[in-house]
Amino acid sequence: MTSEEIRLLAKEADSRLDSVHSSESLEAFRVDYLGRKGRVTRLFEQLKTLSPEERRLLGSSLNELKNSLEKKLEAKVSSLSPPPRGREGFFDPTLPGLRPPQGRLHPLTQTIREITALFERLGFEVVEGPEVETEFHNFTALNIPPDHPSRDSFATFYTREERERESPFLLRSQTSTVQIRVMQKRKPPLRIVAPGRVYRPDQVDASHSFMFHQIEGLMVDEQTTFSELKGILHLFLRRLFGPETKIRFRPHFFPFTEPSAEVDVNCFLCEGRGCSVCGGKGWIELLGAGSVHPAVFEQVGYDAKRVQGFAFGLGVERIAMLRHGIPDIRLFFENDLRFLRQF
Ligand code: DAH
């Protein structure tokens, strides 16, 4: 063994250490040089065979080599382990922040707010009524006769305990109930819109649900005219479906209005030529409306000779489906975020 050999071994060890990039190869390096049969260890054993003079000289350079390798090994261990995290860890202030997920309103809530906002600009006030109702508010006060099919339990949900009693409770099947509640409490003039849930025991399919939403409108004053009704609805529908929107009143029957009409808009998809959205008719039925029946005024204690009014009712899901091209009503209630995030 010569001091030249030791110098070369040190050089070689240094360059090998440079190519160590994993803790596995670092351990292999340690075994290879400093292990029990490692190359440095073996040189220490050779010292015994040397003269005392050489032993002192080479012994001290060997010790130096061993100490410097141990130090370098230690430095390498800490350079290979991941940097500490947390407060004292590395923080890069130039990274973009984490964006918290943003919520939004359900498309039906958006539609309701949009519609009621339009009516608020026309002087209508938004009011709400209960979803559990009496037969009186849902039927009797609205001039719906006792034998009318909509009173049947096939058409209206009754609360079970109350079904057999004289005046049962039910889940309202229309928001027209709110007309009655408001008129019972207040005197004309009135201008209200009433959004809310209604319930009907319908078989669920692409266009039917046992629960859906309506918006009711009511205006009562000493004098109101049918042309006011027409004007307000036309204004409303133009704002909702665009300035070119045409409307059409078709004679119809509702027990609580006389005369009554169904209101159609021209099909915005085919512009009247006929397509699958309008069923080939060129018109889309959107709401029911009419002049408040005197019998309704009498039920709430108004003098039917001194007040007049008009009312209307529309389905919220239907309007939202038409405006956004939504093919299936069930999408509104499944709460699938892939659907809801689109609005
Ligand atoms: N309540 C009716 C329904 O559920 C809708 C309706 C029609 C409301 C005519 C009205 C009206 O206020 O005047 O089908």
Side-chain angles (χ1 to χ4, degrees):
M1 170 170 48
T2 62
S3 49
E4 177 63 8
E5 243 175 282
I6 296 176
R7 203 181 60 76
L8 283 177
L9 187 62
K11 214 173 150 201
E12 188 207 294
D14 275 350
S15 77
R16 219 182 113 185
L17 200 56
D18 280 345
S19 60
V20 165
H21 296 297
S22 70
S23 44
E24 289 82 18
S25 53
L26 188 64
E27 174 61 10
F29 173 90
R30 191 192 62 79
V31 171
D32 205 10
Y33 288 87
L34 302 173
R36 257 193 316 132
K37 290 183 182 147
R39 296 159 75 175
V40 178
T41 320
R42 265 183 289 149
L43 287 183
F44 271 110
E45 274 159 21
Q46 282 183 33
L47 282 180
K48 296 179 210 148
T49 63
L50 300 179
S51 66
E53 188 106 342
E54 285 177 309
R55 203 186 299 171
R56 208 175 336 111
L57 198 76
L58 295 181
S60 91
S61 2
L62 263 185
N63 262 327
E64 234 169 70
L65 172 61
K66 185 175 169 239
N67 289 340
S68 99
L69 281 184
E70 275 171 352
K71 260 208 198 102
K72 286 175 185 166
L73 215 83
E74 214 170 281
K76 197 79 179 183
V77 168
S78 50
S79 84
L80 286 179
S81 48
R85 292 170 194 222
R87 240 191 251 190
E88 286 93 346
F90 177 70
F91 173 70
D92 182 351
T94 66
L95 285 175
L98 292 180
R99 209 178 269 275
Q102 198 179 19
R104 66 197 70 204
L105 294 174
H106 191 279
L108 290 176
T109 308
Q110 290 183 32
T111 307
I112 289 172
R113 295 214 182 156
E114 218 177 302
I115 293 174
T116 53
L118 290 178
F119 279 104
E120 281 179 304
R121 284 164 66 178
L122 298 173
F124 284 73
E125 178 194 345
V126 180
V127 294
E128 287 185 7
E131 291 171 28
V132 178
E133 265 294 6
T134 65
E135 258 195 314
F136 176 77
H137 291 89
N138 201 75
F139 297 121
T140 312
L142 288 161
N143 198 33
I144 298 174
D147 57 353
H148 195 275
S150 67
R151 291 191 183 234
D152 204 287
S153 62
F154 297 116
T156 298
F157 286 112
Y158 291 87
T159 60
R160 202 186 295 141
E161 303 82 26
E162 303 290 337
R163 198 179 207 153
E164 306 304 326
R165 291 207 201 156
E166 218 158 85
S167 45
F169 287 107
L170 48 81
L171 295 182
R172 69 178 176 192
S173 59
Q174 49 185 354
T175 46
S176 306
T177 52
V178 187
Q179 291 188 32
I180 306 304
R181 294 210 166 258
V182 170
M183 288 193 284
Q184 281 179 320
K185 271 213 227 97
R186 305 196 208 164
K187 296 272 159 271
L190 291 174
R191 281 189 202 201
I192 56 122
V193 278
R197 277 184 275 271
V198 301
Y199 302 84
R200 293 180 193 178
D202 281 337
Q203 190 66 44
V204 175
D205 62 26
S207 53
H208 294 85
S209 168
F210 51 85
M211 184 281 294
F212 56 100
H213 297 73
Q214 291 186 329
I215 297 180
E216 191 78 13
L218 174 71
M219 173 157 159
V220 184
D221 211 328
E222 278 169 22
Q223 207 195 5
T224 63
T225 65
F226 214 83
S227 59
E228 275 178 293
L229 169 63
K230 258 186 131 163
I232 283 179
L233 290 182
H234 197 188
L235 194 67
F236 158 63
L237 292 168
R238 275 198 313 252
R239 285 200 183 147
L240 205 59
F241 289 103
E244 305 302 321
T245 308
K246 293 186 185 63
I247 64 168
R248 161 175 102 165
F249 275 58
R250 255 181 311 106
H252 198 74
F253 173 80
F254 295 107
F256 35 89
T257 46
E258 179 60 29
S260 303
E262 278 192 330
V263 184
D264 302 340
V265 293
N266 63 322
C267 182
F268 44 83
L269 206 73
C270 64
E271 279 154 6
R273 269 173 270 119
C275 66
S276 62
V277 168
C278 59
K281 292 190 285 253
W283 292 90
I284 299 171
E285 177 201 324
L286 268 192
L287 39 88
S291 295
V292 178
H293 199 292
V296 175
F297 284 143
E298 273 157 31
Q299 290 284 355
V300 296
Y302 283 5
D303 183 348
K305 291 195 195 67
R306 301 182 67 167
V307 292
Q308 288 182 327
F310 56 75
F312 53 88
L314 55 88
V316 177
E317 281 78 358
R318 189 169 157 68
I319 288 188
M321 287 167 83
L322 285 169
R323 288 182 79 204
H324 299 295
I326 297 166
D328 194 317
I329 194 171
R330 289 169 288 200
L331 288 164
F332 288 122
F333 309 119
E334 283 167 357
N335 290 331
D336 186 331
L337 289 178
R338 290 170 300 178
F339 171 75
L340 297 175
R341 282 201 183 110
Q342 296 179 56
F343 301 93

